[in-house]
Amino acid sequence: MAGTKKLFIKTYGCQMNVYDSERMAEALGGSGYEEVTTPEEADMILLNTCHIREKAAEKVYSELGRFQGLKAEKPDLKIGVAGCVAQAEGQEIMRRQPIVDLVVGPQSYHRLPEMEAKAGHGEKVLDTEFPEEDKFEKLKARPKARRGPTAFLTVQEGCDKFCAFCVVPYTRGAEVSRPAARILGEAQDLVERGVREITLLGQNVNAYHGAGADGDWSLARLIRELAEIDGLERLRFTTSHPNDMADDLIEAHGTCAKLMPYLHLPVQSGSDRVLKAMNRKHTREDYFRLIERIRAARPDIHISGDFIVGFPGETDEDFEQTMDLVRRVEYGTAFSFKYSARPGTPAAEKGDKMVDPQVASARLTALQDLLNAQQRRLQDAMVGRELGVLFEKPGRRPGQMVGKSDYLHAVHVTAEGLAPGDLRRVKITASHPNSLTGELV
Ligand code: 5AD
Ligand code: SF4
């Protein structure tokens, strides 16, 4: 019977996991599951895990430990682990935590209904293969449910860059691009279900090179074609490697009105020595030149980035180079992390050169203070300006709606008759720590 069993999914990590969790919920919808918001009401609990930084696996085990009581009360409760920890740990998860019924890697989500059926018969199921079939095609949404105004759409998976610190090439595998026609079809379907903004996702999204009607398409070509879809108002993409920022993609930022003026372009470090040790295959000067070209195409673009401090061998001087790079680029948003050794990555072998944890923490604080100040400055500069805002949901105050600006700021507006999905011009009146307020123009 449809809709009689209850599914609780907890998602960790990146936006690709958010997308994957939605697809898993839809796939299990076909097996009669509907999503619930607490583990206590669930017949099946799925943890969609992330392995990118330290202690991810430990977090999963402690979370699973908390479900032991639930499983004792409800022996029919099924517990599954998905995502990159599932891929990396495999069988080990079931060995360490016997309450787990199924372990599914990111490439096998389309097999979840079969796996769930087997688990229903008391079997333990594990699938961490990289099968040949197109999982996205098999995961196509069944019910044509109405959607919110924004959606993620995965266009590319995996990574061939092998940055020395990163597990992604091992957990998500080699770079694969989905065929363009499938992406256009999925985008069209999302728009028919109410979506007005799509964020194209990939671990290395700007390396996209999917089969198109006339040979392989670049990400820029895909964006231009998506922009032709009526009712689709905004496009974004994330996350990108500097070396794959092709000329046509830079140009698209200047010419494609639906492509939003925001670019997440991680650099990780501002020191050439560290960049080399990280196997990033570009220098700080390369990055500066690239940012200059992007800003020439779209002067108001907000640049976002990722940074790692305390990479093995990083000196005070190296770190100062990162601070200098940040001062020169000026970031609209940024994410910064303390380096953590990931088993199986080349950098993890460099344990002898580990930076003192206290030094790394102090560097992280200094970097985050600088990045936060920049972020706030750029946000404050929006006061008095008119921005496009796509409204997503009601705010906490009566009559208030919350949306996102072109530059991805959260914007609050109180006005009559505003509805989710409305794209309006808003005059910004105030800037707060994490959001803006404004009024309709
Ligand atoms: N340690 C710290 N940060 C990492 N990241 C990836 N691997 C590691 C690691 N081993 C960060 C990078 C990447 C972001 C998604 O996570 O900055 O861009
Ligand atoms: Fe990891 Fe580097 Fe690939 Fe990004 S580009 S997923 S940091 S290996």
Side-chain angles (χ1 to χ4, degrees), residues 392-430:
E392 292 176 18
K393 56 182 183 214
R396 253 176 271 156
R397 306 226 179 111
Q400 192 187 51
M401 287 285 291
V402 195
K404 291 277 164 59
S405 77
D406 299 343
Y407 308 102
L408 222 47
H409 305 103
V411 181
H412 292 83
V413 171
T414 303
E416 296 266 313
L418 265 183
D422 288 350
L423 179 61
R424 303 287 292 269
R425 302 294 297 170
V426 171
K427 171 121 186 230
I428 302 302
T429 51

Side-chain angles (χ1 to χ4, degrees), residues 70-78 101:
L70 274 181
K71 181 93 172 184
E73 281 167 33
K74 249 195 191 176
D76 285 341
L77 171 67
K78 299 296 167 217
D101 301 284

Side-chain angles (χ1 to χ4, degrees), residues 159-163 165-169 203-204 241 268 280:
C159 181
D160 293 340
K161 291 284 186 290
F162 291 94
C163 297
F165 49 80
C166 185
V167 284
V168 166
Q203 265 99 19
N204 222 313
H241 190 287
Q268 314 295 356
R280 291 287 293 179

Side-chain angles (χ1 to χ4, degrees), residues 274-291:
V274 174
L275 287 170
K276 190 150 199 280
M278 286 177 165
N279 194 32
R280 291 287 293 179
K281 300 198 176 83
H282 63 78
T283 63
R284 57 189 264 123
E285 272 312 317
D286 294 335
Y287 188 78
F288 288 138
R289 269 197 299 272
L290 182 57
I291 297 289

Side-chain angles (χ1 to χ4, degrees), residues 250-266:
I250 296 176
E251 193 192 309
H253 272 291
T255 55
C256 180
K258 290 184 179 178
L259 184 57
M260 290 295 101
Y262 181 99
L263 176 65
H264 185 61
L265 196 61

Side-chain angles (χ1 to χ4, degrees), residues 52-53 165-166 266 268 306-308 337-342:
I52 196 120
R53 280 174 297 274
F165 49 80
C166 185
Q268 314 295 356
D306 290 342
F307 296 88
I308 295 177
F337 314 99
K338 217 185 327 177
Y339 170 74
S340 68
R342 310 306 295 121

